[in-house]
Amino acid sequence: VDLGLAGKTAIITGSGGGIGAGIARLIASEGGNVVVTDIAGDKATEVAQSISDQGGRAIAVAVDVTDAQSVADLVAAAQEAFGGTDILVNNAGFTRDMRIAKMSEGDWDAVVDVILKGAFLCTKAALPSMVERKWGRVVNISSRAHLGNPGQANYSAAKAGIIGFTKAMALENGRYNITVNAVAPGIVETDAVRNLPHFDKIRENAERTIAIARMGRVEDVADAVVFLASERAAYITGDVLHVSGGRY
Ligand SMILES: NC(=O)c1ccc[n+]([C@@H]2O[C@H](COP(=O)([O-])OP(=O)(O)OC[C@H]3O[C@@H](n4cnc5c(N)ncnc54)[C@H](O)[C@@H]3O)[C@@H](O)[C@H]2O)c1
């Protein structure tokens, strides 16, 4: 199946590791140009270098998605290196889990800002190039947590919010041949999850309770994102694709 990604330029936020790096690698292997961006610039450089070493086209840019100037520089870097932006994957995000009684205003703001404000700033900055080309794809990384998880009021709210944002953007931009969708992963084995103190219990729980009796892999999520970012998903917009092994 030709995904039609050859020569397309994709910005993937938070792609210095984990799911974002997996998405960047897969788009590059399909012939896309990738802009690897992360607040951790050294991690972004490492991922971009390894993609280049394997014959892909990649640049690295250090970006804080919550900072409008930093995001403007990111889109300018994509323009300079590859002539514009066709695909944006809003993937940067993190958790700061706590019951609400102990959750500080700072914990709330940090998580909501990186997920929601980050997606807002990056989408606003990247859209003009897509509108000009009359072709574009935005894929927002939500989470199964949009259904609500105890100890994750901030994260659940932000991951549900990104779905509303996705639907509004889909309606605003469909006329330009731009689709906007969300992918909601279940539990995916990345360093962020592997480093949790109770990781063994999470894995055991996943094997016991998830229909596909294992944790998700980065590749499981990357496959779904790349499909939605491809020519093959031209008539899918405003939708949420769960990649959770059947866990709801
Ligand atoms: N791993 C899971 O189980 C899981 C499940 C559902 C959803 N998700 C979502 O998938 C996305 C990627 O998660 P991951 O597990 O690969 O985590 P990760 O920590 O490996 O990757 C997230 C990246 O975002 C970067 N980042 C953080 N703040 C940033 C900022 N302000 N600007 C730019 N980059 C920033 C981090 O440096 C990191 O490299 C996140 O949005 C996460 O919420 C993960």
Side-chain angles (χ1 to χ4, degrees):
V1 178
D2 179 8
L3 295 173
L5 290 172
K8 294 273 195 280
T9 298
I11 294 176
I12 306 101
T13 69
S15 50
I19 292 169
I23 295 166
R25 289 184 206 286
L26 189 54
I27 293 177
S29 75
E30 290 293 326
N33 310 314
V34 293
V35 181
V36 181
T37 79
D38 204 288
I39 196 164
D42 51 336
K43 284 170 60 187
T45 302
E46 237 173 76
V47 172
Q49 186 60 52
S50 81
I51 289 172
S52 303
D53 290 346
Q54 285 169 5
R57 280 182 303 277
I59 60 163
V61 191
V63 170
D64 176 356
V65 295
T66 66
D67 180 87
Q69 185 56 53
S70 180
V71 169
D73 294 345
L74 164 67
V75 170
Q79 175 75 35
E80 196 185 319
F82 302 122
T85 303
D86 303 287
I87 298 163
L88 169 68
V89 183
N90 285 309
N91 166 78
F94 52 76
T95 54
R96 281 208 193 158
D97 298 354
M98 222 140 334
R99 294 270 169 180
I100 193 152
K102 293 207 165 147
M103 187 176 285
S104 70
E105 199 178 334
D107 294 327
W108 175 271
D109 286 348
V111 170
V112 170
D113 270 9
V114 71
I115 293 168
L116 281 182
K117 190 178 180 182
F120 161 68
L121 289 176
C122 292
T123 305
K124 187 176 162 75
L127 274 172
S129 178
M130 299 182 200
V131 169
E132 195 184 306
R133 292 161 178 229
K134 297 273 185 296
W135 194 98
R137 298 281 185 268
V138 180
V139 183
N140 297 318
I141 305 302
S142 177
S143 164
R144 192 221 63 101
H146 77 86
L147 296 169
N149 271 344
Q152 292 197 314
N154 48 2
Y155 187 73
S156 296
K159 291 299 191 182
I162 196 97
I163 292 175
F165 177 71
T166 298
K167 291 178 187 291
M169 286 301 96
L171 292 170
E172 276 186 27
N173 295 290
R175 73 185 67 181
Y176 307 114
N177 208 21
I178 297 168
T179 69
V180 186
N181 291 286
V183 168
I187 183 103
V188 182
E189 196 174 339
T190 60
D191 284 346
V193 172
R194 250 179 246 119
N195 292 336
L196 292 171
H198 46 290
F199 172 68
D200 286 343
K201 222 172 143 198
I202 293 173
R203 184 208 291 272
E204 199 189 295
N205 197 41
E207 288 169 357
R208 204 164 32 82
T209 60
I210 297 175
I212 306 291
R214 60 169 175 81
M215 296 178 79
R217 301 180 183 120
V218 163
E219 293 76 13
D220 295 321
V221 181
D223 283 338
V225 171
V226 166
F227 166 63
L228 289 172
S230 78
E231 195 54 54
R232 298 286 164 157
Y235 201 58
I236 302 171
T237 197
D239 232 323
V240 185
L241 178 54
H242 286 82
V243 182
S244 64
R247 175 173 180 247
Y248 287 96

